[in-house]
């Protein structure tokens, strides 16, 4: 084994170790692929950069199987395992696609990286909507866990502020329905954030990086997807269509909003740079991401205003030349 091979193995082990440890934490479970993409350029061959991704995937599956070993004999336990691995697998496949497509246009890399998560989300929503006996048992198990978290109790309560079972059940059902309607855009957002953070780190000393971000725009066909999908959503709601159809249409509509939110962010960064404010694309993206996920009330600005800003640029030119 020559020196280059030893260095390759050492780099792969370090990257895989950092990523796997990060995945063991609650918040890190959404960010653990960033080190894989950040350090990928250190490998001379992009195929070699996929080795740490495969190692982390293998470790994740092995640990998850070990933790769920007592429940693997039951179909309910196996399904819960699949649901638990969904986000990590989506992020790992997304990071592998991003690394492999090094050199391609940013939008092409992002769409390719997010495509698996979008398709997998649709399949999962359809599968869970089938209503099989196993799915019913999984639903009951998750409902019991939801009740335990909120400390719900039966009947009328004398304790002020106490939560009843019926109230918790309504919140749970609403959460499940909303979750099924936003799963694809959620995956797009997580994959996009990880990819952008890795790209920002790589371009941290590049003076033209933020300027290139201000020029980002989505393909023109996105407008037709946006208008068509929201029209379908409206019609399905008016005619009270079954949940599955509404959920799938909502995933497509919100997915187009994610793309326009990226364009909206580019517009915001363009205005900030014109005002001479010293903010980078990476710092702006991190701020918007944290607001969207952690700040109730203000997250409406990110969720609604950014896509609206991006769509509006179809008719109003915001990014005029100096």
């Amino acid at each position: 084994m020559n020196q280059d091979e030893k260095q390759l193995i050492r780099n792969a082990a370090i990257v895989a170790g950092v990523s796997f440890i990060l995945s063991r934490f609650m918040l890190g479970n959404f960010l653990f692929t960033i080190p894989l993409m950040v350090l990928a350029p250190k490998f001379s061959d992009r195929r070699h950069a996929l080795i740490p991704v495969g190692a982390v995937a293998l470790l994740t599956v092995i640990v998850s199987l070990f933790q769920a070993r007592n429940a693997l004999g039951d179909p309910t336990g196996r399904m819960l395992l699949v649901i638990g691995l969904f986000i990590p697998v989506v992020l790992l496949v997304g990071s592998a696609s991003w690394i492999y497509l090094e050199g391609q246009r940013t939008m092409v890399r992002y769409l390719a990286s997010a495509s698996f998560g979008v398709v997998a989300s649709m399949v999962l929503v359809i599968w869970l909507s089938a209503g099989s006996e196993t799915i019913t048992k999984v639903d009951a198990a998750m409902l019991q866990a939801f009740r335990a978290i909120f400390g719900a109790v039966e009947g009328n309560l004398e304790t002020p502020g106490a939560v009843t079972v019926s109230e918790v059940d309504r919140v749970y059902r609403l959460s499940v329905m909303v979750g099924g309607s936003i799963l694809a855009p959620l995956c797009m957002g997580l994959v996009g954030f990880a990819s952008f953070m890795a790209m920002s780190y790589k371009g941290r000393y590049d003076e033209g990086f933020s300027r290139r971000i201000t020029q980002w725009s989505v393909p023109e066909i996105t407008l037709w997807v946006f208008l068509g999908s929201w029209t379908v959503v409206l019609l399905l709601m008016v005619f009270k269509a079954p949940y599955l159809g509404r959920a799938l249409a909502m995933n497509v509509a919100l997915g187009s909003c994610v793309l326009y939110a990226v364009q909206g962010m580019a517009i915001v960064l363009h205005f900030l740079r014109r005002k001479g404010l010293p903010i980078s694309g990476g710092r702006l993206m991190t701020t918007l991401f944290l607001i969207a996920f952690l700040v109730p009330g203000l997250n409406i600005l990110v969720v609604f205003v950014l896509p609206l800003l991006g769509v509006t640029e179809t008719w109003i030119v915001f990014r005029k030349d100096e």
Side-chain angles (χ1 to χ4, degrees):
M1 182 179 296
N2 58 38
Q3 188 63 32
D4 290 340
E5 290 174 337
K6 291 180 180 179
Q7 184 67 29
L8 172 64
I9 294 175
R10 183 162 54 250
N11 289 341
I14 292 174
V15 176
V18 171
S19 178
F20 179 72
I21 292 173
L22 188 60
S23 71
R24 297 297 92 192
F25 298 95
M26 182 175 297
L27 182 59
N29 196 39
F30 300 102
L31 308 174
F32 73 100
T33 56
I34 295 178
L36 298 172
M37 292 185 282
V38 164
L39 298 179
K42 292 186 177 294
F43 295 87
S44 57
D45 190 329
R46 61 186 175 185
R47 291 173 297 179
H48 292 158
L50 295 176
I51 295 175
V53 180
V56 174
L58 182 61
L59 286 171
T60 301
V61 172
I62 290 175
V63 171
S64 297
L65 288 173
F66 178 77
Q67 292 175 336
R69 62 190 182 281
N70 295 328
L72 293 178
D74 182 15
T76 302
R78 292 195 293 270
M79 183 173 289
L80 287 171
L81 175 64
V82 171
I83 294 174
L85 285 173
F86 180 77
I87 292 297
V89 169
V90 166
L91 291 176
L92 284 167
V93 174
S95 65
S97 300
W98 180 266
I99 292 169
Y100 187 76
L101 293 174
E102 175 72 31
Q104 297 291 328
R105 291 178 54 202
T106 301
M107 184 57 70
V108 172
R109 293 178 76 187
Y110 171 61
L111 292 176
S113 301
S115 61
F116 174 80
V118 172
V119 174
S121 298
M122 298 294 194
V123 172
L124 184 62
V125 171
I126 294 172
W127 182 35
L128 294 179
S129 299
S132 66
E133 181 180 353
T134 302
I135 293 174
T136 302
K137 290 180 179 179
V138 170
D139 180 67
M142 295 178 67
L143 176 57
Q144 289 298 326
F146 202 80
R147 288 173 177 174
I149 292 174
F150 287 92
V153 295
E154 296 282 359
N156 295 325
L157 304 174
E158 297 180 359
T159 306
V163 183
T164 64
V165 168
S166 60
E167 291 172 338
V168 172
D169 288 0
R170 284 196 295 270
V171 173
Y172 170 77
R173 293 299 168 199
L174 179 61
S175 300
V176 170
M177 294 178 68
V178 171
S181 300
I182 66 170
L183 190 56
L186 174 63
C187 292
M188 292 177 65
L190 292 175
V191 171
F193 180 76
S195 304
F196 189 86
M197 288 298 99
M199 188 168 54
S200 298
Y201 182 84
K202 182 181 178 181
R204 63 193 184 280
Y205 300 124
D206 184 357
E207 294 295 333
F209 176 69
S210 293
R211 180 181 57 80
R212 290 194 296 272
I213 294 176
T214 63
Q215 299 171 351
W216 281 357
S217 61
V218 300
E220 292 183 4
I221 193 175
T222 308
L223 178 64
W224 298 107
V225 176
F226 177 87
L227 295 176
S229 58
W230 280 111
T231 301
V232 171
V233 168
L234 180 61
L235 291 174
L236 291 176
M237 293 178 65
V238 169
F239 291 104
K240 296 180 170 38
Y243 168 75
L244 179 59
R246 289 184 284 119
L248 295 178
M250 187 66 76
N251 272 287
V252 176
L254 291 176
S256 66
C257 287
V258 172
L259 296 179
Y260 274 115
V262 174
Q263 183 164 308
M265 186 194 72
I267 295 171
V268 171
L269 184 60
H270 171 79
F271 281 122
L272 293 176
R273 286 176 59 84
R274 284 189 61 183
K275 295 296 183 181
L277 298 178
I279 183 170
S280 65
R283 189 180 305 168
L284 176 63
M285 180 65 169
T286 302
T287 302
L288 294 175
F289 184 85
L290 292 175
I291 291 174
F293 281 88
L294 301 178
V295 185
L298 286 179
N299 54 9
I300 296 178
L301 295 176
V302 176
V303 174
F304 291 102
V305 174
L306 282 183
L308 183 61
L309 188 62
V311 172
T312 306
E313 197 180 38
T314 305
W315 301 280
I316 303 174
V317 180
F318 293 116
R319 291 175 285 184
K320 297 179 180 179
D321 295 332
E322 297 288 349

